[in-house]
Amino acid sequence: MTPRSAARSSTSAGTAGAYVVGRSLLHRAPAGLKLAALMVCSLALLLVRDAVGVGLAALAVAGLYALAGLGARAAWGQVRPLRVFLPVVFALQWWLMDLTSAAVLSTRLLVLVALAGLVTCTTRVTDLLVAIERGLSPLGLVGVDVERVALVLALALRSVPVVSDLAGRVRDAQRARGHERDVRAFAVPLVVGAMRQADALGEALRARGFDD
């Protein structure tokens, strides 16, 4: 790997939803198999109700990241968008129920996001798109535009790292201006930037004939 490609991989590893080049077993596994495994594991994790169970699940996901050759930086990059939202969820669950239940629910959410991030880290978006199209192909028999649905899902996956990077740039600018605690100084540029990204994406799609 050249220094330039290594730098790109390092940057991607710290970005939510971004593919990281690799040759591990998880990288080589079919995209459809990984999506099916993600669905099964997510459903199974939702049934876990105790701290030991979610703790073992977290260890298992950490082991999968190691198996894929992804370090703590990559794992943190996938769950980093939760750093503001998760404490609120934890506090709310603790207030409504108890400390153990709050910890279990919060950890379960963290593991689910990390698991989904592992799939996107080890699978190219194009491969995901093909796998989604194949999985949804039976719906084409009842008139569903499978290609368009798959495109929407792929765009949703791709928007995660884009919005995450935008939020990081806005946060850095906010710190530089000394407005770290000003919610409006963060929210307004983020919304405006996201809308500009959406406009640019819409123009690109219209140029390719996806305007109907």
Side-chain angles (χ1 to χ4, degrees):
M1 180 180 292
T2 65
R4 183 176 296 179
S5 62
R8 284 198 300 265
S9 296
S10 177
T11 300
S12 297
T15 304
Y19 174 72
V20 181
V21 178
R23 299 182 57 83
S24 70
L25 179 63
L26 287 176
H27 281 84
R28 298 195 304 270
L33 178 61
K34 284 185 277 191
L35 287 174
L38 173 63
M39 181 178 64
V40 172
C41 290
S42 298
L43 291 175
L45 188 59
L46 291 175
L47 300 176
V48 178
R49 303 292 182 183
D50 59 279
V52 174
V54 294
L56 292 175
L59 289 175
V61 172
L64 289 174
Y65 270 86
L67 179 63
L70 304 173
R73 176 182 173 83
W76 168 243
Q78 307 316 303
V79 300
R80 183 175 53 189
L82 296 176
R83 66 188 184 279
V84 176
F85 171 71
L86 198 60
V88 176
V89 172
F90 177 82
L92 182 61
Q93 295 297 328
W94 189 0
W95 179 56
L96 293 176
M97 295 184 288
D98 55 76
L99 179 60
T100 301
S101 298
V104 168
L105 290 173
S106 301
T107 305
R108 188 165 58 191
L109 176 60
L110 192 70
V111 172
L112 285 170
V113 172
L115 193 59
L118 179 63
V119 173
T120 57
C121 272
T122 58
T123 316
R124 297 183 187 276
V125 174
T126 52
D127 295 334
L128 287 174
L129 182 58
V130 171
I132 293 171
E133 285 185 10
R134 289 176 179 172
L136 297 177
S137 57
L139 296 178
L141 300 175
V142 294
V144 175
D145 190 340
V146 174
E147 290 187 5
R148 193 174 295 270
V149 173
L151 177 62
V152 170
L153 293 175
L155 290 175
L157 286 173
R158 186 66 189 95
S159 69
V160 172
V162 172
V163 176
S164 178
D165 288 344
L166 176 61
R169 293 197 301 270
V170 172
R171 181 67 72 184
D172 290 341
Q174 188 182 16
R175 291 195 188 99
R177 292 176 173 82
H179 298 294
E180 295 184 40
R181 299 182 181 278
D182 189 344
V183 176
R184 187 173 58 181
F186 174 75
V188 173
L190 179 61
V191 171
V192 172
M195 291 178 67
R196 287 177 177 171
Q197 292 282 354
D199 285 341
L201 178 59
E203 290 294 336
L205 291 175
R206 280 193 290 272
R208 289 164 175 78
F210 288 96
D211 57 339
D212 55 346

